[in-house]
Structure formats: C-alpha cells, structure tokens
C-alpha cells in the first residue's frame, strides 16, 4: 500500500487537498522525498544481499533444480 501511495503523489494530493494549491504542492513534495529515501535505502539493501548463485549451484548438484 505504501508503494502505491508513493508512486502517485499527485493523486494523494488531489484527494487530501484539492482546493489548496500550496498544501497540494507540499504534499507532493513530501511524498516525492519519502519515495526517494525509500528507493535509496532499498538499493543499498539489495547491493548488500549475498550472491544467490552458489546456493542454486549446490542444490542443482544434489539433483534439486528449481
């Protein structure tokens, strides 16, 4: 659900503050900043994940293919 909110900040701003242009702009800005922070954190986590290839090779050598 959070992913959907962060993916469409304009729709969220439209729903929360359709008549206040300044608040609408602030909502969009905050959601874009949060989305960027989550993306940066996500990529750091993904970069630090161990390589899955050795595990797959071990399972295949035992006759357990995926």
């Amino acid at each position: 659900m959070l992913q959907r909110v962060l993916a469409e900040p304009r729709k969220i701003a439209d729903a929360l503050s359709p008549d206040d242009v300044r608040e609408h702009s602030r909502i969009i800005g905050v959601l874009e900043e949060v989305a960027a922070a989550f993306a940066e954190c996500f990529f750091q986590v993904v970069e630090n994940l161990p390589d899955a290839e050795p595990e797959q090779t071990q399972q295949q050598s035992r006759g357990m293919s995926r």
Side-chain angles (χ1 to χ4, degrees), residues 1-63:
M1 174 140 181
L2 179 59
Q3 184 179 4
R4 288 179 61 195
V5 169
L6 297 177
E8 301 189 51
R10 292 191 192 290
K11 284 187 178 181
I12 302 304
D14 289 344
L16 295 177
S17 187
D19 299 325
D20 186 342
V21 177
R22 292 178 71 199
E23 187 66 15
H24 191 271
S25 179
R26 284 188 210 121
I27 292 168
I28 292 170
V30 168
L31 291 176
E32 288 175 344
E33 285 183 36
V34 171
F38 270 99
E40 182 179 326
C41 181
F42 173 78
F43 288 119
Q44 287 175 357
V45 168
V46 169
E47 287 176 359
N48 292 324
L49 288 175
D51 187 16
E53 191 173 317
E55 180 182 323
Q56 290 176 347
T57 304
Q58 289 173 356
Q59 288 179 355
Q60 287 176 351
S61 67
R62 294 184 205 145

